[in-house]
Amino acid sequence: MKKFLKDALTYIDDRFKLSALLEFAKKKKVPEHKHSIWYYFGGICLFLFIVQVITGILLLLYYSPSVDSAYESVQTLMSRVKFGWLIRSVHSWSANILIGAIFIHMFSAFFLRAYRKPREFTWISGFFLLLIFFAFGFSGYLLPWNELSFFATRVGTDIAGTVPVIGQSIKTFILGGPEISDVTLPRFFWFHVAILPLFTVVILGVHLVLVQVLGMSKPLSLPEDKVREVPFFPNFILKDMLGWLLILVLVGVLCVFLPWEIGQKADPFAGTPLGIKPEWYFTFMFTTLKIIPSHILFVEGEVLAILGFMVGGLLWMLVPFLDKKASKEKKNPFYTWVGAFILLYIIVFTALTYLLPDL
Ligand code: HEM
């Protein structure tokens, strides 16, 4: 038996060269940080993404992407398919926790200055992943074709339509016409299950290869030769896996006590119900658009806010190239203040959405 196993391993290794991978894994080390908890969030994002892929494939077995049958197929899944409600709840809760984990991972990379040379493109690929996961959330929200998702999509795409010059074209591209219609749902479906996963595989691949090739950033507070390193296997990965287990428990508890609901079927001819809001991760932008004055210096407030978010997003993506001076001085508090301001803005404006229900 022992000989058979050895021969089998040699056979596989001769063909797939797995021992080279094992050698790399054995040598891989991770710098020790004072607050190392922030370094587990990249792995948590990865774990939740895998959960999304598995549960998404299971949902595909029952979901029907047409206006006449989407809502009913989700209803059947939840009431007649064994554990269908659980798979749907895990998919929805873990999608939300994934976006939260991406935010935490991104802000920790920002505050720890992990984007600095040579990791500029790790940051930029991460930024694209953020946009892709926003698009996953937006497209997935409409798929059950319920009242809330229908009107939130209408509100969201109306906002996209107000972008100067290209807004209407973006809106038509997303919806497949000037308004939400029969063709919109299949379009969102294909974005959600084919186009976005394809982009994710490529960009996530680049992100992870860069992390492996460049190694993880070292703490700025210590000189290079004083930084201690721990082996990735087994020290770091065991803690990584403990984090995944805790997240899985959290998802499980949420699914059991707060199963994802389905609501009422969408009626495109009904008036927009009061208090319709987008998903929580878009609300800081939504609330800004709601409370900005209608005109600021002859320019429409909403247009100004949208332009502000677009320019802000671009600067955020380019931060590794802007924070040049700081890389020499090591401690430039300017970017810490910028990050703190943006984080506070997002938290306050997200909270305002729920504290001011009449928005
Ligand atoms: C689904 C989305 C994402 C996944 C699965 C992911 C995954 C990972 C993993 C596994 C690591 C290595 C472990 C760690 O440092 O935590 C990492 C590192 C990194 N990520 Fe991401 N990431 C995602 C999104 C982002 C975003 C949105 C940004 C920023 C805009 C970003 C920027 C970075 C940077 C700069 C590093 C290097 C950290 C260092 O060297 O200290 N990532 N990512």
Side-chain angles (χ1 to χ4, degrees):
M1 184 68 181
K2 229 174 169 185
K3 184 172 178 316
F4 171 75
L5 273 179
K6 208 171 156 216
D7 287 351
L9 283 177
T10 314
Y11 181 91
I12 295 171
D13 194 40
D14 284 348
R15 275 140 197 95
F16 298 100
K17 296 284 167 224
L18 292 182
S19 54
L21 213 66
L22 214 67
E23 242 354 86
F24 173 76
K26 265 194 217 158
K27 279 199 201 126
K28 185 174 158 67
K29 290 203 162 152
V30 180
E32 232 178 357
H33 285 259
K34 201 161 135 206
H35 304 292
S36 55
I37 182 162
W38 305 117
Y39 280 81
Y40 294 100
F41 278 89
I44 289 176
C45 293
L46 198 58
F47 171 69
L48 285 169
F49 173 62
I50 295 167
V51 171
Q52 287 309 96
V53 174
I54 297 171
T55 50
I57 291 173
L58 291 175
L59 290 176
L60 265 180
L61 299 177
Y62 289 91
Y63 180 74
S64 160
S66 111
V67 173
D68 299 325
S69 55
Y71 181 84
E72 288 74 11
S73 69
V74 178
Q75 238 179 359
T76 307
L77 173 87
M78 290 187 55
S79 55
R80 310 234 323 252
V81 177
K82 260 191 192 156
F83 297 114
W85 66 273
L86 183 62
I87 299 296
R88 179 169 178 250
S89 286
V90 171
H91 195 73
S92 308
W93 274 117
S94 95
N96 281 276
I97 299 173
L98 170 57
I99 301 234
I102 294 180
F103 269 117
I104 298 177
H105 174 55
M106 178 174 74
F107 275 100
S108 27
F110 181 86
F111 286 119
L112 294 162
R113 308 292 198 271
Y115 54 75
R116 284 186 187 170
K117 186 185 161 194
R119 290 177 194 78
E120 294 94 330
F121 293 94
T122 316
W123 173 266
I124 292 182
S125 55
F127 180 82
F128 280 111
L129 285 174
L130 173 76
L131 298 186
I132 290 175
F133 280 88
F134 274 170
F136 262 122
F138 191 71
S139 54
Y141 200 46
L142 183 69
L143 298 185
W145 200 250
N146 61 21
E147 197 184 35
L148 206 66
S149 66
F150 178 87
F151 288 105
T153 305
R154 185 182 271 175
V155 171
T157 47
D158 280 350
I159 292 173
T162 57
V163 173
V165 190
I166 50 169
Q168 280 308 319
S169 312
I170 296 177
K171 187 176 163 189
T172 309
F173 171 70
I174 300 175
L175 297 181
E179 287 303 330
I180 304 183
S181 67
D182 291 4
V183 298
T184 310
L185 186 67
R187 184 170 277 238
F188 271 48
F189 174 73
W190 288 115
F191 276 130
H192 196 77
V193 306
I195 298 165
L196 293 171
L198 199 71
F199 281 144
T200 310
V201 167
V202 176
I203 299 185
L204 187 56
V206 170
H207 194 69
L208 296 179
V209 166
L210 285 177
V211 171
Q212 298 313 317
V213 172
L214 302 172
M216 263 150 72
S217 62
K218 303 201 162 88
L220 284 179
S221 51
L222 291 173
E224 284 263 328
D225 52 335
K226 289 268 157 52
V227 176
R228 294 202 317 159
E229 291 189 313
V230 289
F232 184 74
F233 286 100
N235 304 40
F236 195 83
I237 191 77
L238 279 178
K239 288 191 191 166
D240 242 348
M241 286 162 81
L242 181 67
W244 302 349
L245 200 65
L246 291 177
I247 291 287
L248 204 60
V249 170
L250 174 69
V251 173
V253 168
L254 286 167
C255 291
V256 170
F257 290 102
L258 295 166
W260 210 258
E261 301 205 348
I262 182 165
Q264 296 294 318
K265 186 174 175 171
D267 174 5
F269 301 107
T272 309
L274 280 179
I276 282 288
K277 292 180 178 57
E279 287 275 77
W280 63 270
Y281 37 89
F282 294 124
T283 52
F284 70 97
M285 294 186 265
F286 174 76
T287 303
T288 308
L289 295 175
K290 286 279 170 191
I291 61 182
I292 197 164
S294 65
H295 282 85
I296 299 174
L297 295 174
F298 311 111
V299 187
E300 233 180 279
E302 217 172 74
V303 172
L304 208 66
I306 290 173
L307 286 178
F309 283 123
M310 287 168 75
V311 174
L314 193 68
L315 293 176
W316 186 248
M317 180 180 89
L318 295 176
V319 83
F321 305 103
L322 303 174
D323 184 15
K324 276 268 177 267
K325 200 169 140 236
S327 19
K328 283 178 219 140
E329 290 173 10
K330 285 217 159 176
K331 279 181 194 159
N332 179 349
F334 175 73
Y335 285 92
T336 308
W337 285 110
V338 170
F341 172 77
I342 296 173
L343 187 59
L344 200 68
Y345 186 91
I346 293 176
I347 293 174
V348 170
F349 274 70
T350 303
L352 276 180
T353 315
Y354 300 96
L355 295 174
L356 305 172
D358 296 335
L359 266 179

